[in-house]
Each structure stands twice: as C-alpha cells, then as structure tokens.
Amino acid sequence: MRLREGLRVVRRSDTEVQVGTDPRWAVRVTDLTPDEVVALLAADGTPGPSGSDGSSTARRALPAHTPRLRAICDQLVAAQLAEPASEGRSVRGTGTADAHAWDLQDGSGGARLAARGRQVVGVLGLGPTGTTAAVTLAAAGVGTVLVDDARPVRSTDVGASGYRWSDVGRRRDTVVARMVRDAAPRVAVESVQVPDLVVVVEHGATDPVRAADVLATGVPHLSVVVREADVVVGPLVVDGDGPCLRCLDLHRTDADPAWPVVAQGLSRPARDGDEVGVLAGVAGATAAAAALAYLDRREPLAATYEIGLPDALPRRRDWAVHPTCGCTAQST
Ligand SMILES: [Zn+2]
C-alpha cells in the first residue's frame, strides 16, 4: 500500500502525525510510538524529481511490519488516502497533477483524465486571455484544443501568456497552436468533430450577432469579455439550460435602455484593446476552470465572474433567464 500521490505526512508531536493538509480529507494518526512516527513520515506522498523519461521516483510503501501499522494502513485505505501500490500512477505527464488532485477528492482522477482526453474545445479570440485559457486546457489533459484567430500578434500581447517578441506579426492561431503542443505534446489542434465547448473571447461587449450564431449551433459556449480594466468570464451557456447571452443583454437593457446601441457600438467593428497581464492570467485560468467544470461534471456556469483591477479577484454575479428571451422555451 502507498499513500495517494501528493499527500503530505507531517509530524504534529512525538506521538502523532497528520496525513494530508486539506481539511476535506486530512486526518490525524494518534498514540504512536517514536518508531511508528518515523515509519509513517517516511511514507510522505510528495513525488520526487522526474527523470527524463517522465517517470517519477518511487513513492515509498506504507509501513506494515507490525499489527498496529497494518491496522493504521487499513484505516488510511478506508479513508481513501492510500491505495494498492499497483494502482499508483508512475508515469507523469499531461494532466497528471489534475488527476492526482481528483484522486484525493473522490478517487476519479484516472477516469476524468481519460474523459478529458476525448473532449474537443475551441477557443476563439487569442489575446493573452484566450491564449492562457487554451494552454491551460491543453495542460489539463483536454485531448483536442482548436484555436482560431487570424489576426497578428501585437507587441502588447507579449508577456506571461506565452507570446514572445519574436512572435509579433505572426498569426496568433499559428503561434498558439505551437504553444498548446509545447504544453501538451499529444494534444490535437485540428479536428472535424463538433466541439464539446467553445470559449469565445471578445472585447468591449458580446457581439449579439455572433452570440445568436453560436447559440443556433447548439454548441455549449463560454463567454469571456475583456473590458477597459476588467474581464467578465461567463456565463457558460448550454442550449435550453440557464441564461444565454441574450438574457444578459435583456437584463442590462432593463437597467439601461440604451444598452443595445452601446453594445452594438462596442462590438462592431471589433476593436481589441490591450490586455493587462494579471487580468489575462486570472481570467484565462478562471475561464479554463469553468470549461473544465463543464467538461468534467456537465455543470454550466449560470453566473459571471468579474475580474477587475487593482486586486484581480473574481467577483461572482448570478444571472437568471430573462422572462422575455424565450431561450429555454425553445428546446423544452
Ligand atoms: Zn436567453
């Protein structure tokens, strides 16, 4: 038996150790002898350095050379904190960290990673925010990441999202396809399959024409809108289930009758502003998290996260279906 990968074992006293640090699953093992404390500390589940072949150094087996240690071992297995050595993943690669984290939550890491590998996600709009989302999804094990943005990389795109000065002037989608493959060598960047989800990154406001076109395809889509000093992530729209982008526009029109004219002016013609690095990082990762929540658990996001300067902390705002939109009635 071995502890699940990533679990820490730390000393609490001369007679007690703690297995795990997350309050959702951490346990204390008490009334230990000094030898038992030493033996359990040696089973720390932190992975060692990886070799060039991607394999990790061996995690040490849980001690079971006395009846008391065997009983402790059984209790850790019952608590899903330990597993047979044969079930531990020794190969480390794309999405492995995600799988280990899911293993600790509910033991589903391997199944979820395999499922992600069969998913196709499109990302439209490849400024730093969209680029961060695309690379994060690939690194999390999504099997196919399609990227689309024929515009050139600008000097203001260069930075933490991965664009380099030498990329300036090249097509964004060509550069991001390379970044995606660099992050996940087995990822596909082309497919004839209808995507399971599309992430649409726009500037200023949602383009109502594009929103209607995407809704008409029936493909679930996540809206990301980059504004002057904040980014709005969400909602993740699933046809017939929860508010759509038109619902949000109708709510905004209730509050400001001029909103449709303003939104039209902001979205057509599309004029992308520069994207602040910290906002792009937080918003891109938040978008990737929302996308993975849908891919993993089919949980749509009927809310927006507004991520603004100066703190860049996501603030959630829940949205309801607008009573005059009719989007949920269309498919029920
Ligand atoms: Zn609607």
Side-chain angles (χ1 to χ4, degrees):
M1 292 291 172
R2 289 176 179 165
L3 288 179
R4 289 194 186 276
E5 183 137 0
L7 276 178
R8 300 303 314 271
V9 182
V10 289
R11 182 194 301 270
R12 293 179 59 86
S13 72
D14 290 343
T15 60
E16 183 175 321
V17 300
Q18 174 178 328
V19 179
T21 58
D22 191 304
R24 289 172 291 181
W25 51 74
V27 297
R28 291 160 47 213
V29 185
T30 59
D31 300 322
L32 300 170
T33 67
D35 286 346
E36 288 168 344
V37 168
V38 170
L40 287 170
L41 287 173
D44 188 286
T46 306
S50 294
S52 58
D53 61 352
S55 62
S56 72
T57 54
R59 286 177 289 149
R60 278 165 286 189
L62 277 166
H65 51 273
T66 69
R68 267 174 55 88
L69 284 170
R70 277 196 291 278
I72 291 169
C73 189
D74 289 343
Q75 289 173 342
L76 292 172
V77 171
Q80 297 193 8
L81 297 175
E83 61 192 355
S86 59
E87 293 183 10
R89 292 176 187 76
S90 58
V91 177
R92 306 178 63 75
T94 305
T96 305
D98 291 49
H100 289 153
W102 273 112
D103 276 342
L104 292 173
Q105 293 173 71
D106 59 12
S108 70
R112 288 189 190 277
L113 193 57
R116 285 183 185 178
R118 297 188 290 271
Q119 306 282 332
V120 179
V121 178
V123 182
L124 309 179
L126 298 172
T129 303
T131 301
T132 299
V135 174
T136 303
L137 288 167
V142 173
T144 303
V145 177
L146 310 174
V147 292
D148 184 8
D149 191 338
R151 294 171 294 181
V153 177
R154 305 171 301 181
S155 61
T156 50
D157 294 331
V158 175
S161 71
Y163 283 125
R164 305 175 298 204
W165 284 107
S166 57
D167 297 323
V168 173
R170 300 181 61 205
R171 270 181 69 125
R172 281 173 163 178
D173 47 13
T174 302
V175 176
V176 177
R178 182 207 72 211
M179 285 188 215
V180 163
R181 286 192 298 263
D182 284 348
R186 295 183 180 176
V187 72
V189 295
E190 295 179 357
S191 174
V192 295
Q193 192 177 329
V194 175
D196 298 282
L197 175 71
V198 175
V199 180
V200 183
V201 185
E202 300 170 287
H203 278 242
T206 308
D207 181 342
V209 176
R210 175 143 78 168
D213 289 346
V214 175
L215 188 64
T217 65
V219 176
H221 47 284
L222 173 65
S223 170
V224 179
V225 177
V226 181
R227 304 192 296 199
E228 289 168 350
D230 73 356
V231 182
V232 181
V233 178
L236 193 155
V237 181
V238 178
D239 191 17
D241 185 6
C244 72
L245 301 182
R246 182 164 178 263
C247 287
L248 268 64
D249 276 336
L250 289 169
H251 285 300
R252 289 173 173 136
T253 305
D254 289 343
D256 176 6
W259 172 249
V261 179
V262 174
Q264 182 82 13
L266 289 172
S267 59
R268 291 208 169 210
R271 289 206 333 222
D272 284 12
D274 297 335
E275 299 184 22
V276 177
V278 290
L279 294 182
V282 176
T286 302
L292 292 171
Y294 176 72
L295 298 176
D296 288 340
R297 307 188 297 276
R298 288 295 182 260
E299 288 181 3
L301 176 65
T304 51
Y305 287 103
E306 297 181 6
I307 301 157
L309 291 175
D311 58 12
L313 294 176
R315 292 176 173 80
R316 181 181 173 114
R317 179 176 177 184
D318 291 295
W319 295 83
V321 171
H322 194 280
T324 66
C325 182
C327 56
T328 55
Q330 289 170 0
S331 55
T332 55

